[in-house]
Protein backbone atom coordinates (compact mmCIF):
# COMPACT_ATOMS: atom_id res chain seq x y z
CA UNK A 1 0.00 0.00 0.00
CA UNK A 2 1.21 3.57 -0.56
CA UNK A 3 3.01 5.17 2.35
CA UNK A 4 1.95 8.42 3.98
CA UNK A 5 4.75 10.26 2.19
CA UNK A 6 3.60 8.93 -1.19
CA UNK A 7 0.03 10.07 -0.48
CA UNK A 8 1.13 13.57 0.50
CA UNK A 9 3.45 13.83 -2.52
CA UNK A 10 0.53 12.93 -4.77
CA UNK A 11 -1.62 15.49 -2.96
CA UNK A 12 1.10 18.14 -3.39
CA UNK A 13 1.36 17.35 -7.11
CA UNK A 14 -2.42 17.62 -7.55
CA UNK A 15 -2.53 20.93 -5.67
CA UNK A 16 0.37 22.39 -7.67
CA UNK A 17 -1.16 21.32 -10.99
CA UNK A 18 -4.61 22.63 -10.05
CA UNK A 19 -3.38 26.01 -8.84
CA UNK A 20 -1.07 26.46 -11.83
CA UNK A 21 -3.75 25.58 -14.37
CA UNK A 22 -6.31 27.87 -12.75
CA UNK A 23 -3.78 30.73 -12.48
CA UNK A 24 -2.67 30.26 -16.10
CA UNK A 25 -6.24 30.32 -17.37
CA UNK A 26 -7.04 33.45 -15.39
CA UNK A 27 -3.91 35.18 -16.68
CA UNK A 28 -4.71 34.17 -20.26
CA UNK A 29 -8.30 35.38 -19.88
CA UNK A 30 -7.06 38.71 -18.52
CA UNK A 31 -4.69 39.20 -21.46
CA UNK A 32 -7.32 38.11 -24.00
CA UNK A 33 -9.79 40.63 -22.60
CA UNK A 34 -7.18 43.37 -22.91
CA UNK A 35 -7.25 44.22 -19.21
CA UNK A 36 -4.59 46.72 -18.18
CA UNK A 37 -4.28 45.19 -14.75
CA UNK A 38 -2.95 41.74 -14.03
CA UNK A 39 -4.97 38.73 -12.85
CA UNK A 40 -6.67 38.86 -9.46
CA UNK A 41 -6.54 36.67 -6.39
CA UNK A 42 -4.49 33.51 -6.38
CA UNK A 43 -3.48 33.99 -10.01
CA UNK A 44 -1.83 37.29 -9.12
CA UNK A 45 0.15 35.64 -6.30
CA UNK A 46 1.23 32.74 -8.52
CA UNK A 47 2.26 35.10 -11.32
CA UNK A 48 4.40 37.11 -8.90
CA UNK A 49 6.17 33.96 -7.74
CA UNK A 50 6.69 32.70 -11.29
CA UNK A 51 8.08 36.02 -12.51
CA UNK A 52 10.45 36.19 -9.54
CA UNK A 53 11.66 32.63 -10.11
CA UNK A 54 12.09 33.28 -13.82
CA UNK A 55 13.93 36.61 -13.60
CA UNK A 56 15.78 36.48 -10.27
CA UNK A 57 16.49 32.76 -9.92
CA UNK A 58 16.57 30.90 -13.24
CA UNK A 59 17.68 33.54 -15.75
CA UNK A 60 19.93 35.38 -13.29
CA UNK A 61 21.93 32.25 -12.49
CA UNK A 62 21.70 30.22 -15.71
CA UNK A 63 22.33 33.16 -18.02
CA UNK A 64 21.86 33.21 -21.78
CA UNK A 65 19.63 30.37 -22.97
CA UNK A 66 18.17 29.78 -19.53
CA UNK A 67 14.58 30.21 -20.70
CA UNK A 68 14.27 26.50 -21.50
CA UNK A 69 15.06 25.61 -17.87
CA UNK A 70 12.54 28.00 -16.28
CA UNK A 71 9.65 25.45 -16.23
CA UNK A 72 11.84 22.89 -14.46
CA UNK A 73 13.04 25.38 -11.83
CA UNK A 74 9.50 26.68 -11.23
CA UNK A 75 8.17 23.13 -10.91
CA UNK A 76 10.88 22.22 -8.39
CA UNK A 77 10.09 25.26 -6.25
CA UNK A 78 6.33 24.80 -6.09
CA UNK A 79 6.42 21.03 -5.61
CA UNK A 80 8.94 21.27 -2.74
CA UNK A 81 7.04 24.21 -1.23
CA UNK A 82 3.73 22.33 -1.18
CA UNK A 83 5.27 19.17 0.25
CA UNK A 84 6.91 21.28 2.97
CA UNK A 85 3.68 23.11 3.81
CA UNK A 86 1.55 19.97 3.89
CA UNK A 87 3.85 18.62 6.58
CA UNK A 88 2.90 21.51 8.86
CA UNK A 89 -0.79 20.59 8.86
CA UNK A 90 -2.25 18.52 11.73
CA UNK A 91 -1.77 14.83 10.94
CA UNK A 92 0.24 15.92 7.92
CA UNK A 93 3.46 14.37 6.66
CA UNK A 94 6.53 16.11 5.29
CA UNK A 95 7.63 14.04 2.32
CA UNK A 96 10.79 16.15 2.00
CA UNK A 97 11.78 14.86 5.44
CA UNK A 98 12.38 11.50 3.74
CA UNK A 99 15.88 11.07 2.35
CA UNK A 100 14.52 8.92 -0.50
CA UNK A 101 12.33 11.81 -1.67
CA UNK A 102 15.06 14.44 -1.48
CA UNK A 103 17.50 12.06 -3.18
CA UNK A 104 15.03 11.53 -6.05
CA UNK A 105 14.64 15.30 -6.45
CA UNK A 106 18.42 15.72 -6.37
CA UNK A 107 18.88 12.99 -9.01
CA UNK A 108 16.42 14.79 -11.31
CA UNK A 109 18.38 18.00 -10.81
CA UNK A 110 21.62 16.11 -11.47
CA UNK A 111 20.26 14.78 -14.77
CA UNK A 112 19.09 18.28 -15.78
CA UNK A 113 22.49 19.75 -14.90
CA UNK A 114 24.52 17.18 -16.82
CA UNK A 115 22.21 17.19 -19.86
CA UNK A 116 22.41 21.00 -19.93
CA UNK A 117 26.20 20.72 -19.96
CA UNK A 118 26.19 18.17 -22.78
CA UNK A 119 23.82 20.29 -24.88
CA UNK A 120 25.78 23.50 -24.39
CA UNK A 121 29.39 22.25 -24.50
CA UNK A 122 29.17 19.32 -26.87
CA UNK A 123 30.93 16.01 -26.30
CA UNK A 124 34.47 17.41 -26.21
CA UNK A 125 33.58 20.36 -24.02
CA UNK A 126 31.62 18.18 -21.60
CA UNK A 127 34.52 15.75 -21.22
CA UNK A 128 36.63 18.77 -20.37
CA UNK A 129 34.54 19.22 -17.22
CA UNK A 130 35.80 15.80 -16.07
CA UNK A 131 39.30 15.44 -17.56
CA UNK A 132 40.66 18.83 -16.53
CA UNK A 133 44.18 20.23 -16.74
CA UNK A 134 45.19 23.92 -16.67
CA UNK A 135 46.36 25.42 -19.95
CA UNK A 136 49.85 26.84 -20.41
CA UNK A 137 51.65 24.17 -18.39
CA UNK A 138 54.46 21.83 -19.46
CA UNK A 139 53.09 18.54 -20.89
CA UNK A 140 54.44 16.63 -17.89
CA UNK A 141 52.79 19.09 -15.51
CA UNK A 142 49.54 18.92 -17.44
CA UNK A 143 49.55 15.13 -17.28
CA UNK A 144 50.25 15.22 -13.55
CA UNK A 145 47.51 17.80 -12.92
CA UNK A 146 45.04 15.80 -15.01
CA UNK A 147 45.78 12.68 -12.97
CA UNK A 148 45.10 14.64 -9.78
CA UNK A 149 42.16 16.78 -10.90
CA UNK A 150 40.17 14.21 -12.88
CA UNK A 151 39.03 12.22 -9.80
CA UNK A 152 38.31 15.49 -7.99
CA UNK A 153 36.20 16.86 -10.85
CA UNK A 154 34.40 13.53 -11.27
CA UNK A 155 33.50 13.34 -7.57
CA UNK A 156 32.52 17.00 -7.67
CA UNK A 157 29.68 16.14 -10.03
CA UNK A 158 28.15 13.88 -7.39
CA UNK A 159 28.71 16.18 -4.42
CA UNK A 160 26.24 18.70 -5.87
CA UNK A 161 23.16 16.41 -5.82
CA UNK A 162 24.35 14.92 -2.52
CA UNK A 163 24.43 18.40 -0.98
CA UNK A 164 20.97 19.21 -2.39
CA UNK A 165 19.47 16.01 -0.96
CA UNK A 166 21.07 16.25 2.50
CA UNK A 167 20.41 20.00 2.92
CA UNK A 168 16.68 19.71 2.24
CA UNK A 169 16.31 16.49 4.27
CA UNK A 170 18.20 17.82 7.30
CA UNK A 171 16.53 21.22 7.42
CA UNK A 172 13.00 19.83 7.16
CA UNK A 173 13.66 17.29 9.90
CA UNK A 174 15.46 19.62 12.31
CA UNK A 175 12.43 21.82 12.98
CA UNK A 176 10.15 18.82 13.42
CA UNK A 177 12.51 17.29 15.99
CA UNK A 178 12.51 20.51 18.01
CA UNK A 179 8.71 20.79 17.90
CA UNK A 180 8.32 17.17 19.00
CA UNK A 181 10.76 17.72 21.86
CA UNK A 182 8.85 20.80 23.07
CA UNK A 183 5.51 19.01 22.81
CA UNK A 184 7.05 16.16 24.79
CA UNK A 185 8.01 18.64 27.53
CA UNK A 186 4.42 19.91 27.62
CA UNK A 187 3.00 16.40 27.93
CA UNK A 188 5.56 15.54 30.59
CA UNK A 189 4.63 18.63 32.56
CA UNK A 190 0.91 17.85 32.27
CA UNK A 191 1.49 14.41 33.77
CA UNK A 192 2.93 15.96 36.91
CA UNK A 193 0.20 16.47 39.50
CA UNK A 194 1.75 19.59 41.03
CA UNK A 195 2.46 21.31 37.72
CA UNK A 196 1.92 25.05 37.63
CA UNK A 197 0.28 26.74 34.65
CA UNK A 198 3.37 28.85 34.09
CA UNK A 199 5.45 25.72 33.50
CA UNK A 200 3.33 24.94 30.43
CA UNK A 201 3.56 28.42 28.95
CA UNK A 202 7.27 28.32 28.13
CA UNK A 203 7.31 25.13 26.02
CA UNK A 204 3.98 26.09 24.41
CA UNK A 205 5.20 29.52 23.35
CA UNK A 206 8.47 28.04 22.08
CA UNK A 207 6.59 25.39 20.08
CA UNK A 208 4.43 28.08 18.45
CA UNK A 209 7.49 30.19 17.62
CA UNK A 210 9.30 27.19 16.12
CA UNK A 211 6.16 26.45 14.08
CA UNK A 212 6.24 29.97 12.67
CA UNK A 213 9.94 29.51 11.89
CA UNK A 214 9.10 26.22 10.15
CA UNK A 215 6.69 28.12 7.89
CA UNK A 216 9.53 30.42 6.87
CA UNK A 217 11.89 27.45 6.40
CA UNK A 218 9.35 25.76 4.09
CA UNK A 219 9.58 28.70 1.68
CA UNK A 220 13.32 29.16 2.19
CA UNK A 221 14.30 25.56 1.46
CA UNK A 222 12.16 25.43 -1.69
CA UNK A 223 13.87 28.63 -2.85
CA UNK A 224 17.36 27.36 -1.98
CA UNK A 225 16.84 24.06 -3.84
CA UNK A 226 15.58 25.86 -6.96
CA UNK A 227 18.31 28.50 -6.77
CA UNK A 228 21.18 26.02 -6.35
CA UNK A 229 19.87 23.92 -9.22
CA UNK A 230 19.91 27.05 -11.38
CA UNK A 231 23.42 27.93 -10.19
CA UNK A 232 24.76 24.46 -11.01
CA UNK A 233 23.16 24.54 -14.48
CA UNK A 234 24.70 27.97 -15.10
CA UNK A 235 28.13 26.81 -13.91
CA UNK A 236 28.31 23.88 -16.29
CA UNK A 237 26.93 25.83 -19.26
CA UNK A 238 29.09 28.94 -18.83
CA UNK A 239 32.51 28.11 -17.43
CA UNK A 240 33.47 31.79 -17.21
Amino acid sequence: SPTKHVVFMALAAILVATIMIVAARQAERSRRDGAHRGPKGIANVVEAFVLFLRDEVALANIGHGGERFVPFVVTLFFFILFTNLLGLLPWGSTATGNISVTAALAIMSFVAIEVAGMMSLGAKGYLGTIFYAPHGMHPVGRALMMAIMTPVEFLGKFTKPFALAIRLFANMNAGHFIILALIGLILLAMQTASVAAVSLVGPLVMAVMIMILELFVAFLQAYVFAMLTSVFIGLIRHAH
Side-chain angles (χ1 to χ4, degrees), residues 145-193:
M145 287 299 298
M146 181 172 290
I148 297 173
M149 294 301 299
T150 296
V152 174
E153 295 292 336
F154 183 74
L155 290 176
K157 289 186 174 295
F158 296 98
T159 58
K160 295 181 179 70
F162 179 79
L164 287 174
I166 296 300
R167 178 183 286 107
L168 181 58
F169 164 74
N171 279 283
M172 296 315 301
N173 274 307
H176 293 345
F177 290 157
I178 296 174
I179 292 172
L180 288 174
L182 293 173
I183 292 175
L185 290 176
I186 296 172
L187 296 176
L188 184 63
M190 291 175 64
Q191 291 176 355
T192 306

Side-chain angles (χ1 to χ4, degrees), residues 4-17 79 83 86 95:
K4 198 172 183 180
H5 285 160
V6 171
V7 172
F8 274 83
M9 278 195 294
L11 180 59
I14 292 171
L15 288 174
V16 170
F79 179 74
T83 52
L86 288 174

Side-chain angles (χ1 to χ4, degrees), residues 24-101:
R25 288 180 176 176
Q26 288 185 10
E28 181 62 26
R29 189 182 304 114
S30 175
R31 294 186 182 94
R32 187 171 58 248
D33 295 341
H36 296 289
R37 60 182 183 277
K40 300 179 180 179
I42 187 67
N44 190 24
V45 176
V46 171
E47 186 177 50
F49 271 100
V50 170
L51 291 177
F52 173 78
L53 292 169
R54 183 193 69 183
D55 298 335
E56 303 299 330
V57 177
L59 297 182
N61 291 296
I62 298 175
H64 177 69
E67 294 83 0
R68 68 179 66 182
F69 300 100
V70 170
F72 177 67
V73 173
V74 171
T75 302
L76 273 179
F77 174 84
F78 278 100
F79 179 74
I80 294 173
L81 175 63
F82 273 73
T83 52
N84 292 348
L85 294 177
L86 288 174
L88 300 179
L89 298 176
W91 298 285
S93 179
T94 307
T96 45
N98 186 329
I99 187 63
S100 298
V101 175

